[in-house]
Amino acid sequence: MPERTLTPGPTDAITDDIREHGFAILQTRVERISRLVKGLPCQEVEGCTEPATLATFAVDAATEDDTALGLQLVKGPDGNPVCIVICDKHRNQASHDLYYALTGRLRPDGIRAYDAPGRHMAWNC
C-alpha cells in the first residue's frame, strides 16, 4: 500500500479528487471534532484495541469559503457524517476502508488525504 500523503491546502486539489474519484479523503485529529465521542477504540476492520486518535471522512463537495471549512461530508442514513476512527498505526488503511465501505470497490491510487490544521469541526460540516 502506498504511503499516505498529508496535503493541507486549498480546496482546488480536493475538488480534483472528488471529480476524478467521486470522493476526497479528510483525516483529522479526533480532538478537533466537538461531537465525536472521545475514547472510542480504533475501528480497523482486522481489529485493534488502541484508542482512536484520528477520524477519517469522505468529502463529496468543496466550496471556497473563508469563514468555514467549505467541505460537504458524506452522510449516512442517520444524517451524521460517515466516519472511521483509527489509531495512528492504522492511519494509512483508514482511507482504503472508508472508500470500500462507501463504494464496494478498492480505493484507486491517487487519492490524497487532507487535513484541516487549526480547524475544529462540528457535525454540520
Side-chain angles (χ1 to χ4, degrees):
M1 163 179 31
E3 284 296 311
R4 173 184 175 269
T5 303
L6 178 62
T7 310
T11 58
D12 56 340
I14 291 174
T15 304
D16 290 344
D17 276 3
I18 294 167
R19 183 177 36 258
E20 292 174 28
H21 306 291
F23 300 104
I25 302 298
L26 175 70
Q27 196 168 68
T28 193
R29 309 297 298 175
V30 294
E31 61 267 14
R32 292 185 185 152
I33 305 165
S34 60
R35 289 190 51 207
L36 189 63
V37 177
K38 305 297 186 272
L40 292 173
C42 177
Q43 293 176 336
E44 168 53 31
V45 295
E46 294 178 6
C48 179
T49 59
E50 294 295 315
T53 54
L54 297 163
T56 306
F57 300 93
V59 177
D60 61 4
T63 59
E64 288 292 336
D65 185 347
D66 293 336
T67 62
L69 194 54
L71 302 177
Q72 178 178 305
L73 302 178
V74 175
K75 296 193 175 152
D78 61 0
N80 286 321
V82 176
C83 176
I84 295 177
V85 294
I86 37 79
C87 65
D88 286 334
K89 178 180 173 186
H90 293 112
R91 70 184 314 147
N92 293 338
Q93 189 60 34
S95 61
H96 294 270
D97 294 345
L98 182 60
Y99 192 88
Y100 188 82
L102 292 171
T103 67
R105 299 186 319 258
L106 295 178
R107 192 195 87 168
D109 289 336
I111 294 181
R112 297 160 280 207
Y114 298 89
D115 191 4
R119 291 296 194 74
H120 289 266
M121 299 170 58
W123 283 136
N124 62 353
C125 292

